[in-house]
Amino acid sequence: MKWLHKYVDRLLNLFWGIGILLLLWFLLQITVVATFRIPTDSMQPTLLPGDNILVNKSIMGARIFDIWDMAEEKEVEIHRLPGMGKVKRNDVLVFHYPYPHKSDSLSMHLLKYYVKRCIALPGDTMGIRKGYYYIKGMDEPIGNVEAQERIARLDKEDARGIVMDTYPWDKYIDWTIQDFGPLHVPAAGQTVAMDSTTVKLYRNLVEWEQKKPLSWRADKVYLDDSLIQEYRFQENYYFVGGDYMENSKDSRYWGLLPEPYIVGVATRIWKSVDKSTGKTRWDRVMKKIE
């Protein structure tokens, strides 16, 4: 029976080895890297449908939260492990879509992910002028310039099928994808004066942070029943945009992205399969995402 004991010992060692590898891979997925498949063309030409991307969580720091509460769509408290760097303009971010249920109420859905390019960082003042993104105090181009050139050339005839109106969807502010802003992107600790315009721009963020209604009544701003003249933000926010600007549901339409919703920074395409043919696009395998 010695051979049987030897066989069982080897089998147990194999199971233990596989279990440890699976545990390490699980921990790696939680804390360092994750993979996602691109289903749409909103980031074309940088990312194509069928691309599978690696997402670095360690730059911002991996998030820790109660996954079961989130699965039941309860409000969750999100914490981050220490990060190894910071998000930069033009980084490609993977994040939970902030408005899966209501267009005016932030919530985080466990399985609804978006991939967009970071256009503006916390503390930036940004806008769109004649179709082109700009950041106050910065001269370098931002985002997909070729797509911005196409947006700049749009007229009423060309714009059929393209949504021109944008966030905050207000006839008095009247922003479009060709003329947007200026919009200040709040950073944690920054204070913004509250008036009839900033209530419209930041209501969803303030109400998400405070869990209280923000309103403009009788020419005054109220947070619940408290009269306020300014508001100090508790979180960092980002403005994100798709590279294929004619067909991208991004910050131009739904507003600013809270930092806790960000999963990480997309770094490489590790696999790419043409959805129409099922064939691997070998020229895209391990391509750096820029």
Side-chain angles (χ1 to χ4, degrees):
M1 297 293 289
K2 286 184 177 180
W3 67 269
L4 182 60
H5 287 296
K6 190 174 182 181
Y7 177 78
V8 171
D9 285 342
R10 287 181 177 178
L11 197 60
L12 288 174
N13 288 334
L14 177 63
F15 286 150
W16 273 109
I18 292 172
I20 290 171
L21 287 175
L22 288 174
L23 178 61
L24 289 174
W25 174 244
F26 179 71
L27 291 174
L28 189 68
Q29 287 264 29
I30 291 176
T31 60
V32 180
V33 67
T35 66
F36 294 90
R37 185 177 64 84
I38 304 301
T40 70
D41 63 358
S42 68
M43 278 297 292
Q44 189 176 291
T46 304
L47 298 174
L48 303 179
D51 285 347
N52 291 261
I53 60 175
L54 294 175
V55 178
N56 188 340
K57 295 182 175 183
S58 65
I59 292 174
M60 299 186 71
R63 301 174 305 164
I64 306 296
F65 54 85
D66 190 324
I67 193 171
W68 304 114
D69 281 351
M70 188 176 173
E72 295 175 8
E73 298 185 7
K74 296 179 181 177
E75 191 72 28
V76 294
E77 189 172 356
I78 299 171
H79 304 279
R80 281 195 188 271
L81 298 176
M84 299 176 64
K86 293 183 178 180
V87 170
K88 302 184 295 294
R89 299 184 194 93
N90 277 326
D91 280 349
V92 175
L93 304 179
V94 173
F95 56 92
H96 293 280
Y97 177 53
Y99 301 95
H101 304 300
K102 294 182 180 180
S103 61
D104 61 348
S105 178
L106 281 102
S107 60
M108 192 164 70
H109 192 283
L110 182 61
L111 298 177
K112 199 171 182 71
Y113 295 97
Y114 271 29
V115 181
K116 305 294 178 189
R117 189 175 298 278
C118 177
I119 303 298
L121 297 170
D124 283 345
T125 296
M126 59 78 58
I128 302 173
R129 187 182 296 128
K130 296 182 179 180
Y132 292 88
Y133 286 122
Y134 70 87
I135 306 292
K136 184 178 179 181
M138 190 183 90
D139 295 328
E140 294 80 8
I142 191 82
N144 184 351
V145 176
E146 290 183 2
Q148 293 169 60
E149 290 172 350
R150 296 194 300 268
I151 296 295
R153 292 194 299 265
L154 284 176
D155 56 27
K156 288 185 178 180
E157 188 66 23
D158 296 328
R160 286 181 299 182
I162 298 175
V163 179
M164 296 294 290
D165 294 337
T166 65
Y167 182 85
W169 303 99
D170 182 273
K171 64 180 181 180
Y172 296 106
I173 295 177
D174 196 29
W175 290 350
T176 72
I177 60 173
Q178 290 178 321
D179 184 15
F180 181 102
L183 173 65
H184 181 72
V185 182
Q190 285 189 334
T191 298
V192 172
M194 284 286 115
D195 54 32
S196 60
T197 298
T198 52
V199 164
K200 294 170 184 175
L201 295 178
Y202 302 118
R203 176 187 282 121
N204 49 7
L205 310 182
V206 174
E207 291 183 347
W208 173 67
E209 288 190 357
Q210 295 294 322
K211 308 298 183 290
K212 297 176 182 178
L214 183 71
S215 59
W216 172 258
R217 305 196 307 262
D219 294 334
K220 293 182 175 62
V221 180
Y222 291 87
L223 182 58
D224 201 0
D225 291 326
S226 300
L227 177 66
I228 65 170
Q229 295 181 326
E230 60 184 22
Y231 181 76
R232 184 183 298 275
F233 285 91
Q234 299 174 0
E235 298 284 353
N236 288 320
Y237 296 90
Y238 299 78
F239 188 100
V240 295
D243 281 2
Y244 186 27
M245 295 176 68
E246 298 95 321
N247 186 33
S248 177
K249 190 177 182 182
D250 51 41
S251 287
R252 295 172 299 165
Y253 298 110
W254 45 257
L256 298 175
L257 172 66
E259 187 171 271
Y261 284 34
I262 299 174
V263 177
V265 178
T267 56
R268 288 191 182 272
I269 301 165
W270 69 272
K271 183 175 77 169
S272 182
V273 177
D274 190 319
K275 296 177 70 174
S276 61
T277 65
K279 294 181 179 179
T280 298
R281 294 181 287 228
W282 291 105
D283 61 322
R284 298 185 65 78
V285 174
M286 296 312 296
K287 182 179 179 181
K288 186 177 180 180
I289 298 171
E290 296 178 320

